[in-house]
Amino acid sequence: MLSTMVYLVGAGPGDPGLLTLKGLEAIKAADCIIYDFLANSRLLEHARPEAETIYVGKKGSFKTIAQAEITRLIIKKAKSGKTVVRLKGGDPFIFGRGGEEAEGLVKEGIPFEVVPGVTSAIAAPAYAGIPLTHRDLSSSVTFVTGQENPLKEGTGIDWKGLTPGKGTLVFLMGWKNLPIITKKLVANGWAPSTPVALVRWGTLTKQKSVVGRLDNIVSAGEVAGIMPPTVAVVGDVVKLKERLDWFETKPLFGKRVLVTRALEQAGEFTRVLEREGAEPIAFPTIKTKPMPGWWGLDRAIKRLSTYDWAIFTSVNGVKYFFERIKALGLDLRELKGVKICAVGPMTAKAIGSFGLRVDLTPKEFRAESLIEALGKKGIKGKRFILPRALKAREVIPTDIKRLGGKIDVVPTYKTVKPTKEAGGLRDLLLGKGVDCITFTSASTVTNFVSMFKRSELPELLSASRIACIGPVTAEAAKGYGINVDIMPKDYTIPALTEAMARYYRANK
């Protein structure tokens, strides 16, 4: 992309997965990103580390910076030679005032491009199970701003032209004026019994929707606690919501799930949780670091041909082991003749990414099952290498030695506790803001507990369910007096997520 260019980018309705590929490309290339309240802040994770990010608010009627000032800011940054992304919620040209910003750029002779976004006008109803058009119910749709006062002199809304019963109406940002909007529609021929739906925070896991009629939707919304940002849908298509409600019926919809695993490994878990409708809260209690000295691992790598088996018990062990092979100027030929054992499908997948075949994966993803599987292959007289964390359970090396094998335990990385403060998490737990806390290793449990006083744990955990990936992790939790509510039969992230879904389906 060229420098001194402004991209007016639609950030979509909230779900970061709905950002367009072109929008993502612009964010990655930007020197400066100027973003709104309704633009999901997670999109900024795609920005370059050195990119400047500027928040300009625009939260309903609470505007931190006036529109004219925002336009001047865009122009100023562009004139300084920067590639600027103006990141706007929804679509920049649908009630987004992107047209005004574009006009300002034209006056200054600044080149710009518009990157359309998925507007909440269609996305929020879609996530609520409401198709805006339907062959049997509606052949047209009209988008109307809900922020203009319909009673003001010289209104820009043609209320008489909104023909009753002939199509679907969508009001954006209309909660504040909903009492006036409903009265105005009824006064212009719309039946009081016309179905209406309100969708707040559409496409996000905190989405809330309410269905009513023109004559009672205001009170229904008040009872449900509806607040901005809200999209209102008026018309017979609302009747389809009960049958087509696919998002809010997901098994983990709306559940706030604390993810305590290492940040570099949390991505997969987060994606799985979001697919099931949960709202993941990343709070890593563990972090991996390479060993400060490599002499032990280097010595083992240089004599790999002397081993019969290489045992990998984690993705991290695979990562740091193969990174070190490359750093030494060696390649996969060093493993010629060495059989490979992987504990768990994700570890096996990590090994497979290097083009290597795994010779053995135990049925259960734990040390005891590994020893049983190796025992059938023969352990006595065999040589094993175990690249692992500096601190780990001693079951594998102890049992291999007991059964007549020789094993070199080679620390390839260490786990440390992140320095992230626990104050915000304490407040969240005390406020009953976490539905489920997940632990994926004994270390995540130990580090989590160490962040708080043991005496306050019962109160902090009183409103949260505890989910552990397997028996070793569960035993660690129980050792601290923590009751474990959820544990899958298979010790994997997908299985853990499915076990959580079953738990919440059974305990609605």
Side-chain angles (χ1 to χ4, degrees), residues 137-140 162-169 188-191 194 234-236:
L137 300 173
S138 174
S139 298
S140 65
L162 299 177
T163 309
K166 297 297 183 181
T168 305
L169 302 182
N188 282 273
W190 287 77
T194 303
V234 181
D236 287 338

Side-chain angles (χ1 to χ4, degrees), residues 74 146 165 168 233 269 278 350 420 457 491:
I74 297 170
T168 305
V233 184
F269 194 12
K420 191 172 182 179
L457 278 178
Y491 317 139

Side-chain angles (χ1 to χ4, degrees), residues 294-307 321 324-325 327-331 333-335 338 383 385 408 410:
W294 294 106
W295 65 270
L297 179 56
D298 290 353
R299 185 174 62 179
I301 288 174
K302 290 174 182 177
R303 61 183 188 195
L304 276 176
S305 60
T306 67
Y307 295 104
F321 180 81
R324 196 58 194 163
I325 286 181
L328 290 172
L330 303 174
D331 58 31
R333 286 173 291 185
E334 301 300 317
L335 284 163
V338 181
R383 289 181 57 85
I385 178 173
D408 287 335
V410 185

Side-chain angles (χ1 to χ4, degrees), residues 38 60-61 63 91 93-97 100 119-121 141-152 154-159 162 168-182 184-185 230-234:
L38 291 177
S61 59
K63 299 177 182 178
D91 179 90
F93 275 12
I94 297 183
F95 303 129
R97 305 189 72 172
E100 297 171 43
T119 172
S120 61
V141 58
T142 303
F143 299 138
V144 187
T145 178
Q147 286 197 330
E148 182 186 60
N149 188 339
L151 298 181
K152 76 177 184 180
T155 176
I157 300 175
D158 180 11
W159 292 97
L162 299 177
T168 305
L169 302 182
V170 180
F171 290 87
L172 282 79
M173 307 163 289
W175 171 248
K176 181 180 177 181
N177 289 325
L178 190 62
I180 301 174
I181 291 171
T182 53
K184 200 72 174 174
L185 288 174
T230 296
V231 170
V233 184
V234 181

Side-chain angles (χ1 to χ4, degrees), residues 452-476:
F452 309 103
K453 296 178 181 178
R454 293 286 294 275
S455 60
E456 63 180 338
L457 278 178
E459 183 181 5
L460 290 175
L461 305 181
S462 62
S464 304
R465 304 283 74 80
I466 305 299
C468 291
I469 198 168
V472 175
T473 306
E475 286 302 317

Side-chain angles (χ1 to χ4, degrees), residues 195-212:
V196 183
L198 304 177
V199 186
R200 185 179 188 228
W201 286 119
T203 77
L204 295 175
T205 54
K206 55 184 175 180
Q207 174 178 304
K208 178 183 285 189
S209 59
V210 178
V211 173

